[in-house]
């Protein structure tokens, strides 16, 4: 297994639209394992393939406190969503250090395939419902900060770009040493 590099907002590759997975082979299983390892290492509760620059419809999620309930959703589709909405304080591994409230459906029913290509359905509420909708947005090229006001989003973008420049500078310094 290996850790994958997570793209950071506002990397334009985060806005690519993911294509459906059509081949269920060993390579796909390796990608699922690497994505899970990357998510647990970060640590985060969810990761979409888009965030590791693989533009296929694949997400991994673990919202359990014990970090022992890995869920894999391939080609996910929301087949039902509650009229009731809820606001959750969200964060994202592609926008580290930023948390803000986003309104989403409080319950969703999702149809997806597992890593073997077998179809399943799950009804989710609470954090799992939030997470599924957040990760599915990534597959459509959407990052949660796009729900925030333009003012907030621009501030976040500026902060992320500044951090990026600082990281590049630190890298150069350590390479020169
Ligand atoms: Ni995210």
């Amino acid at each position: 297994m290996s850790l994958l590099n997570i793209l950071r907002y506002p990397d334009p590759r985060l806005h690519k639209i993911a294509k459906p997975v059509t081949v269920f082979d060993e390579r796909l299983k390796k990608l699922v394992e690497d994505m899970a390892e990357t998510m647990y290492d970060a640590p985060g509760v969810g990761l979409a393939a888009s965030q590791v620059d693989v533009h296929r419809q694949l997400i991994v999620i673990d919202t359990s406190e014990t970090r022992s309930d890995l869920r894999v959703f391939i080609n996910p589709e929301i087949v039902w969503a509650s009229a009731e909405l809820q606001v959750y304080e969200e964060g994202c591994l592609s926008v580290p250090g930023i948390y803000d409230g986003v309104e989403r459906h409080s319950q969703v029913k999702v149809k997806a395939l597992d890593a073997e290509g077998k179809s399943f359905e799950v009804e989710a509420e609470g954090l799992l419902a939030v997470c599924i909708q957040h990760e599915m947005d990534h597959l459509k090229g959407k990052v949660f900060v796009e729900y925030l006001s333009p003012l907030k989003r621009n501030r976040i973008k500026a902060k992320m770009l500044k951090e990026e420049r600082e990281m590049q500078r630190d890298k150069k310094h350590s390479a020169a040493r």
Side-chain angles (χ1 to χ4, degrees):
M1 292 204 283
S2 42
L3 291 178
L4 305 169
N5 181 44
I6 300 175
L7 298 179
R8 289 168 57 97
Y9 183 79
D11 191 310
R13 289 172 290 180
L14 285 168
H15 304 304
K16 285 194 187 178
I17 311 287
K19 294 194 176 85
V21 171
T22 51
V23 182
F24 293 81
D25 57 1
E26 288 307 309
R27 229 179 112 206
L28 179 71
K29 279 182 199 147
K30 167 91 167 71
L31 176 61
V32 169
E33 278 174 18
D34 289 347
M35 280 178 56
E37 195 191 359
T38 304
M39 173 185 75
Y40 287 124
D41 178 77
V45 292
L47 186 69
S50 316
Q51 292 176 275
V52 294
D53 203 21
V54 176
H55 303 282
R56 290 287 171 178
Q57 294 174 15
L58 162 58
I59 63 187
V60 293
I61 290 177
D62 189 343
T63 53
S64 70
E65 270 176 32
T66 49
R67 315 293 280 151
S68 57
D69 184 25
L70 179 67
R71 294 167 187 262
V72 179
F73 297 85
I74 296 175
N75 303 345
E77 267 175 75
I78 291 183
V79 291
W80 174 83
S82 65
E84 193 196 328
L85 305 172
Q86 65 183 353
V87 176
Y88 238 87
E89 189 87 345
E90 296 188 18
C92 179
L93 294 177
S94 292
V95 202
I98 304 290
Y99 301 89
D100 214 323
V102 176
E103 190 175 56
R104 299 189 189 269
H105 300 289
S106 46
Q107 289 164 288
V108 289
K109 194 191 244 183
V110 183
K111 198 178 146 187
L113 304 174
D114 65 16
E116 260 82 41
K118 216 172 85 216
S119 177
F120 68 94
E121 261 189 29
V122 64
E123 268 191 68
E125 57 179 13
L127 178 59
L128 181 59
V130 171
C131 202
I132 289 172
Q133 293 170 83
H134 174 119
E135 301 309 332
M136 283 183 69
D137 271 351
H138 276 301
L139 303 180
K140 295 173 215 143
K142 188 163 182 176
V143 180
F144 87 101
V145 297
E146 286 163 69
Y147 289 101
L148 309 179
S149 69
L151 180 70
K152 273 190 183 173
R153 193 164 58 242
N154 286 334
R155 272 193 201 142
I156 292 167
K157 208 178 269 183
K159 182 173 183 278
M160 296 295 296
L161 289 170
K162 182 168 174 267
E163 281 177 14
E164 188 71 40
R165 281 194 301 273
E166 284 167 1
M167 281 191 305
Q168 292 304 327
R169 199 189 53 208
D170 291 348
K171 237 187 251 169
K172 249 184 239 160
H173 279 187
S174 50
R177 227 175 269 147

